Amino acid sequence: MKDLTKIILSEKELPSAWYNIIPDLPRPLDPLLSPRTLQPATPDELIPLFPPDLLQQEVSMENWIDIPGEVIDIYKQYRPTPMFRARRLEKVLDTPAKIYYKYEGVSPAGSHKPNTAIAQAYYNKVAGTKRLATETGAGQWGSALALACQLMGLECTVYMVKASYDQKPYRKMLMHTWGADVTASPSNETECGRKVLAEDPDCPGSLGIAISEAVEDAATDENARYSLGSVLNHVLMHQTVIGLECQKQMAMVEDYPDVIYGCVGGGSSFGGIALPFAKDKMTGKNVRLVAVEPTACPTLTKGIYAYDYGDSVGIGPVAKMYTLGHNFIPAPIHAGGLRYHGDSPLLCSLYDQGIVEAIAYHQIPVFEAAVTFARSEGIVPAPEAAHAIRAAIDDALECKEAGEEKTILFNLTGHGHFDLSAYEAYFNGKLEDYEYPEEKIKEALTHLPQV
Amino acid sequence: MKDLTKIILSEKELPSAWYNIIPDLPRPLDPLLSPRTLQPATPDELIPLFPPDLLQQEVSMENWIDIPGEVIDIYKQYRPTPMFRARRLEKVLDTPAKIYYKYEGVSPAGSHKPNTAIAQAYYNKVAGTKRLATETGAGQWGSALALACQLMGLECTVYMVKASYDQKPYRKMLMHTWGADVTASPSNETECGRKVLAEDPDCPGSLGIAISEAVEDAATDENARYSLGSVLNHVLMHQTVIGLECQKQMAMVEDYPDVIYGCVGGGSSFGGIALPFAKDKMTGKNVRLVAVEPTACPTLTKGIYAYDYGDSVGIGPVAKMYTLGHNFIPAPIHAGGLRYHGDSPLLCSLYDQGIVEAIAYHQIPVFEAAVTFARSEGIVPAPEAAHAIRAAIDDALECKEAGEEKTILFNLTGHGHFDLSAYEAYFNGKLEDYEYPEEKIKEALTHLPQV
């Protein structure tokens, strides 16, 4: 089996439980705080936003959480996802390294996001929630939740960052096809949105603002709850099906990664592939786990490790994380999913403890890597995922210099079918590189909550 | 294994040979004619357009043609493709029928088209061709050939029907990403194009006109050849990997289809799934093979079985087929891939002999079926493929009335990621139904070549 190119598992080999790393952490996680009191958030404060099962998972000390049958049934529509040996890319790079990639773009929504969307919709249905409200940047998360709500019989309201709402009409249409309501954020539908618009009527929006709107919407309607596509512990845990499958697929080809690359916005796709391997690492395995982020939003590589608001307006939970400041408005890079001011607290803790590493790339070399990949492996990657490709290619090229037969694995979190205008801009020389200025980071310090 | 939802084969089970039905036909096929002499086309006339291996395959009397290793290596990037049991759709329809679908949308180009594009690019590379010229309607075929040429190291020129070129910018960008040149047709690049533009400067183009341009381009450049994405025998033969995999997948779940539905434009996806089963049928198996076409382009259901030009200007080979007349300009339905005036001569012969059946649908009920499918199975289908879904759903609903446990299989030839504006038009009540008028068919008779 060592010579396989497409490494697939039968549906019988779908993981039956998610892996929860929390009990295995060398240092306990700092608790979420209430935005009102800045004291540890009580269940009472969170229950209007999240159903009991998800709150339980957020703090669970069980290592394995069974995946409900109804969730498994929907996973089967696209899981297990394939892992590929990138033979044609290896040949183009003329590298002795072996490059593998896990491909999550086979889901109907085109990314890894349904892994948690389906689970969240399920637990909400069980809890009697009628409608879920959420935010979306480029639209990957919003479309995943629209799909999941449709399949679970829930209504879905998506606050979509206005810049993307205008630039990516196809993502909006996809959400409509799955029956969701989509509103450009900042909107006049919420107090948070009206507040932002009053200050800046032309505000292009940000993920932080859209989160504020969705949280307010859910908190003020007893039939609705809120759903977050990344950052939280339970979200990363649902995504561990990615890494659990990778472990089986690597075993099929009798190999094991020396290094794993994944892009990081809020941390869910990276956590999904990395956490099961982080367990291996903490028990002695030699595997590097490298988070790849854009220089335009260098949360891990240049941010501050501190308590900050998860949303821009400051009505959502406060988390200890690397942050660029909750009032961060990102440069308009095309990797919309990587423009969040913070990062998963779990991932940040692993980074702080040296279990996870991080690097940052500019967007033009990222698109260059994306095109090299599309022209060798065929698949057109999402700009977010292309960050991991850039890192994998650079590593493989270093292996060529050093004559090293390293095993590289990266997470191809989604396809770029809805990002082709970014490719066209790249071909037409219209992309710009952005560096997040040091002085802005210093300035951000002054806006952190005083915990 | 009978309870599988996602029925997958390992890459080791990829078919090693294509099935050629020609030797098994009860009646030999009528030969292609030269457009100049209207006598059987000689190899000399065809060699500027097609490489020797493909001309050989076009008339081969071998039942099985080995798939070259280099083609298999690329097939492995997405093949074998999954077959799904549509359990959620069955539940929504509340039908006792079992519905299966073969999903070809997992290819990097998003449809079945790479199955032949990769083979054609390979045989052209072997023959020393430097560049391939082709036409594309909605862009499915053009993007598949762009991908295949990129992977085989050939240049690629695509003449894209102008209406689609303007309406579907993402398909054009996809071809650019894979390195192809894309020209709106009719263009000023060819004599054929200039002739059409002289008569009608605002001509929206047609597949027939784009074929004329691509054929002229290839015929007038000794380094270039022409590539056709459907209609010809060798194209349908390359697509038989679809049906051959389906036979193995059906055996895995210990089932066999009572009926197979596939959409038909030129006939390649339908031929691909149906021909291996047609062999079963000709040797006594009880399976219905039903081609589904749009009422706006009812080639099989309302056309004439006669020799006609394959292209609009009359410079390409002349074939015996069901036709609506080579000067047919289709109504602007969104299933761009089903707007061809003719059909595969092989498929037409099977239809004429009663081995294949045909039905036609209006576009609004087709989109209604597409949305039902997207909201139950998740995948957003291409409008072409949705014709088969409509037929499968109608059959399943009849089974509900009759209490019949029929096994239905259909070919989901591609996803609709680049067709979402058509879905949006459907939701906004802006789609129209079109019936091709009887008097136009009669008029078409007067333009057929006098063979």
Side-chain angles (χ1 to χ4, degrees):
Chain A
M1 304 277 258
K2 285 174 82 165
D3 62 334
L4 288 174
T5 295
K6 187 185 182 190
I7 306 149
I8 53 172
L9 302 168
S10 86
E11 82 177 31
K12 306 282 182 196
E13 292 166 287
L14 223 165
S16 60
W18 294 297
Y19 168 58
N20 179 23
I21 199 172
I22 309 283
D24 296 330
L25 291 177
R27 195 177 78 193
L29 284 183
D30 297 295
L32 290 178
L33 306 185
S34 155
R36 206 168 38 81
T37 63
L38 296 182
Q39 295 299 311
T42 61
D44 276 2
E45 291 176 291
L46 295 173
I47 205 84
L49 296 182
F50 302 104
D53 287 333
L54 291 179
L55 287 179
Q56 169 98 47
Q57 289 179 6
E58 189 64 18
V59 295
S60 171
M61 290 302 280
E62 299 289 326
N63 252 153
W64 297 95
I65 307 274
D66 283 347
I67 306 175
E70 212 173 319
V71 173
I72 293 264
D73 281 348
I74 301 181
Y75 276 180
K76 283 180 187 171
Q77 206 289 321
Y78 65 97
R79 301 210 73 85
T81 61
M83 172 187 281
F84 292 96
R85 171 85 183 269
R87 294 186 190 276
R88 305 185 67 84
L89 177 63
E90 289 172 16
K91 208 170 159 188
V92 165
L93 301 176
D94 189 23
T95 177
K98 286 181 281 182
I99 307 175
Y100 296 88
Y101 57 98
K102 178 70 165 170
Y103 185 40
E104 291 288 309
V106 295
S107 85
S111 79
H112 67 293
K113 293 286 189 187
N115 297 335
T116 185
I118 294 161
Q120 292 189 43
Y122 168 78
Y123 289 114
N124 271 288
K125 186 177 84 165
V126 167
T129 310
K130 300 293 178 215
R131 180 171 68 88
L132 283 176
T134 198
E135 70 290 333
T136 199
Q140 294 272 23
W141 168 244
S143 39
L145 195 68
L147 168 69
C149 284
Q150 178 60 239
L151 296 179
M152 289 293 174
L154 302 180
E155 291 172 55
C156 183
T157 305
V158 181
Y159 293 87
M160 184 173 189
V161 175
K162 191 167 180 298
S164 296
Y165 184 92
D166 294 334
Q167 281 164 18
K168 303 206 171 184
Y170 271 43
R171 274 278 170 201
K172 182 175 55 190
M173 294 175 195
L174 186 60
M175 292 183 254
H176 288 163
T177 302
W178 285 320
D181 273 331
V182 187
T183 303
S185 166
S187 78
N188 277 310
E189 307 286 312
T190 67
E191 226 171 278
C192 291
R194 288 189 291 271
K195 189 176 152 193
V196 172
L197 286 174
E199 285 171 24
D200 177 8
D202 297 323
C203 176
S206 72
L207 212 49
I209 297 169
I211 293 174
S212 298
E213 291 208 272
V215 167
E216 179 189 326
D217 178 343
T220 53
D221 176 356
E222 63 178 13
N223 289 315
R225 279 201 175 89
Y226 170 67
S227 178
L228 189 63
S230 193
V231 178
L232 297 176
N233 299 340
H234 67 267
V235 179
L236 270 67
M237 186 192 72
H238 298 153
Q239 294 292 356
T240 59
V241 285
I242 303 173
L244 293 170
E245 287 178 8
C246 282
Q247 289 179 324
K248 292 188 190 186
Q249 287 164 312
M250 275 288 166
M252 272 178 79
V253 289
E254 298 168 39
D255 210 339
Y256 190 86
D258 295 302
V259 57
I260 298 175
Y261 294 103
C263 63
V264 172
S268 81
S269 73
F270 181 77
I273 196 167
L275 294 182
F277 289 94
K279 185 186 183 189
D280 289 357
K281 190 182 172 83
M282 292 188 295
T283 51
K285 268 275 193 186
N286 192 11
V287 52
R288 289 178 55 213
L289 307 170
V290 185
V292 191
E293 58 185 19
T295 46
C297 187
T299 317
L300 292 174
T301 51
K302 299 248 178 113
I304 298 151
Y305 193 41
Y307 266 107
D308 196 4
Y309 296 104
D311 66 313
S312 292
V313 178
I315 62 167
V318 175
K320 177 83 175 282
M321 58 184 176
Y322 282 82
T323 177
L324 297 167
H326 61 277
N327 48 2
F328 170 72
I329 300 274
I333 57 164
H334 286 276
L338 307 186
R339 293 187 295 190
Y340 181 57
H341 69 273
D343 247 334
S344 147
L346 169 51
L347 179 57
C348 291
S349 172
L350 291 171
Y351 178 62
D352 187 55
Q353 293 171 75
I355 297 166
V356 160
E357 305 165 48
I359 50 176
Y361 278 106
H362 276 298
Q363 97 169 329
I364 293 174
V366 162
F367 271 88
E368 184 190 38
V371 171
T372 299
F373 185 81
R375 291 185 176 180
S376 54
E377 292 295 311
I379 299 167
V380 177
E384 291 83 359
H387 285 72
I389 299 176
R390 175 77 267 169
I393 287 179
D394 282 358
D395 196 342
L397 290 174
E398 279 173 30
C399 288
K400 182 182 173 183
E401 291 302 311
E404 192 183 355
E405 275 188 46
K406 193 186 275 185
T407 296
I408 298 168
L409 168 63
F410 69 86
N411 195 3
L412 186 62
T413 58
H415 62 63
H417 297 173
F418 302 108
D419 302 286
L420 286 166
S421 54
Y423 280 85
E424 197 77 352
Y426 168 73
F427 288 125
N428 294 334
K430 289 188 178 157
L431 286 194
E432 281 178 60
D433 282 339
Y434 300 93
E435 189 110 26
Y436 191 62
E438 302 277 351
E439 58 270 32
K440 279 210 181 177
I441 299 174
K442 285 185 192 150
E443 204 266 341
L445 266 175
T446 63
H447 298 283
L448 296 180
Q450 298 304 311
V451 177
Chain B
M1 304 278 258
K2 285 174 83 166
D3 62 334
L4 288 173
T5 295
K6 186 185 183 192
I7 306 150
I8 53 172
L9 302 167
S10 85
E11 81 176 31
K12 306 282 182 197
E13 292 167 287
L14 223 164
S16 59
W18 293 299
Y19 168 58
N20 179 24
I21 199 174
I22 310 283
D24 296 329
L25 290 177
R27 194 177 79 193
L29 285 183
D30 297 297
L32 291 177
L33 305 184
S34 155
R36 207 169 37 81
T37 63
L38 296 182
Q39 296 299 310
T42 62
D44 277 2
E45 290 176 292
L46 294 174
I47 205 81
L49 295 182
F50 301 104
D53 288 332
L54 292 179
L55 286 179
Q56 169 96 44
Q57 289 179 7
E58 189 64 19
V59 295
S60 170
M61 292 301 280
E62 301 289 327
N63 251 153
W64 296 95
I65 308 273
D66 283 347
I67 306 176
E70 212 172 321
V71 172
I72 294 263
D73 281 347
I74 301 181
Y75 275 0
K76 282 179 188 170
Q77 206 288 321
Y78 65 98
R79 301 211 73 83
T81 60
M83 173 188 280
F84 292 96
R85 172 84 182 271
R87 294 186 191 276
R88 303 185 69 85
L89 177 63
E90 289 172 17
K91 207 169 161 191
V92 165
L93 300 176
D94 188 24
T95 176
K98 286 180 282 182
I99 307 176
Y100 297 88
Y101 57 98
K102 177 72 166 170
Y103 185 39
E104 291 289 308
V106 294
S107 85
S111 79
H112 68 293
K113 292 286 188 185
N115 298 334
T116 185
I118 293 161
Q120 292 189 44
Y122 168 77
Y123 289 114
N124 271 286
K125 185 178 84 164
V126 167
T129 310
K130 302 291 179 216
R131 180 171 68 88
L132 284 176
T134 198
E135 71 289 332
T136 200
Q140 293 271 23
W141 168 243
S143 40
L145 196 68
L147 168 68
C149 284
Q150 178 59 239
L151 296 179
M152 289 292 177
L154 302 179
E155 291 172 54
C156 184
T157 306
V158 181
Y159 294 87
M160 184 173 189
V161 175
K162 190 168 180 300
S164 295
Y165 183 93
D166 294 334
Q167 282 165 17
K168 303 205 172 184
Y170 271 43
R171 275 275 171 204
K172 183 173 58 189
M173 294 175 196
L174 186 60
M175 292 183 255
H176 287 164
T177 302
W178 286 320
D181 274 331
V182 187
T183 303
S185 167
S187 77
N188 277 310
E189 308 285 312
T190 66
E191 227 171 275
C192 290
R194 287 188 291 272
K195 191 177 152 192
V196 172
L197 286 174
E199 284 171 23
D200 177 7
D202 298 324
C203 176
S206 73
L207 212 49
I209 296 168
I211 294 175
S212 298
E213 292 208 272
V215 166
E216 180 189 325
D217 178 342
T220 54
D221 175 356
E222 63 178 13
N223 288 315
R225 280 198 172 89
Y226 170 68
S227 179
L228 189 64
S230 192
V231 177
L232 297 176
N233 300 339
H234 67 267
V235 179
L236 270 66
M237 187 190 73
H238 298 153
Q239 294 291 357
T240 58
V241 285
I242 303 173
L244 294 169
E245 288 178 7
C246 283
Q247 289 179 324
K248 292 187 192 189
Q249 287 162 312
M250 276 288 167
M252 272 178 79
V253 288
E254 299 169 39
D255 209 337
Y256 190 87
D258 293 301
V259 58
I260 298 174
Y261 294 102
C263 62
V264 172
S268 82
S269 72
F270 181 76
I273 196 168
L275 295 181
F277 289 94
K279 185 185 183 189
D280 290 357
K281 189 182 172 83
M282 292 188 294
T283 52
K285 268 276 193 186
N286 191 12
V287 52
R288 288 178 57 213
L289 307 170
V290 185
V292 191
E293 57 185 20
T295 46
C297 187
T299 317
L300 291 173
T301 50
K302 298 253 179 107
I304 298 150
Y305 194 39
Y307 265 108
D308 196 3
Y309 297 104
D311 65 314
S312 292
V313 179
I315 62 168
V318 175
K320 178 82 174 282
M321 58 184 178
Y322 282 82
T323 178
L324 298 167
H326 60 278
N327 48 2
F328 170 73
I329 300 273
I333 57 165
H334 287 276
L338 307 185
R339 292 188 295 190
Y340 182 58
H341 68 273
D343 246 334
S344 149
L346 168 52
L347 178 58
C348 291
S349 172
L350 292 171
Y351 178 62
D352 186 56
Q353 292 170 76
I355 297 166
V356 160
E357 304 164 50
I359 51 176
Y361 279 106
H362 276 299
Q363 95 170 330
I364 292 174
V366 162
F367 272 88
E368 185 190 37
V371 171
T372 299
F373 185 80
R375 292 184 176 180
S376 53
E377 292 294 311
I379 299 167
V380 177
E384 292 83 358
H387 285 73
I389 298 175
R390 177 76 268 169
I393 288 179
D394 283 0
D395 196 342
L397 290 173
E398 279 172 31
C399 288
K400 181 183 174 182
E401 291 302 311
E404 192 183 356
E405 275 189 45
K406 194 187 274 186
T407 296
I408 298 168
L409 168 63
F410 70 87
N411 196 2
L412 185 62
T413 59
H415 62 63
H417 298 173
F418 302 108
D419 303 285
L420 286 166
S421 55
Y423 280 85
E424 196 77 352
Y426 168 73
F427 289 124
N428 294 333
K430 289 189 178 157
L431 286 195
E432 281 178 59
D433 282 340
Y434 300 94
E435 189 111 24
Y436 192 62
E438 302 276 352
E439 57 271 30
K440 278 211 180 175
I441 299 173
K442 285 185 190 146
E443 203 265 342
L445 265 175
T446 63
H447 297 283
L448 296 180
Q450 299 302 311
V451 176

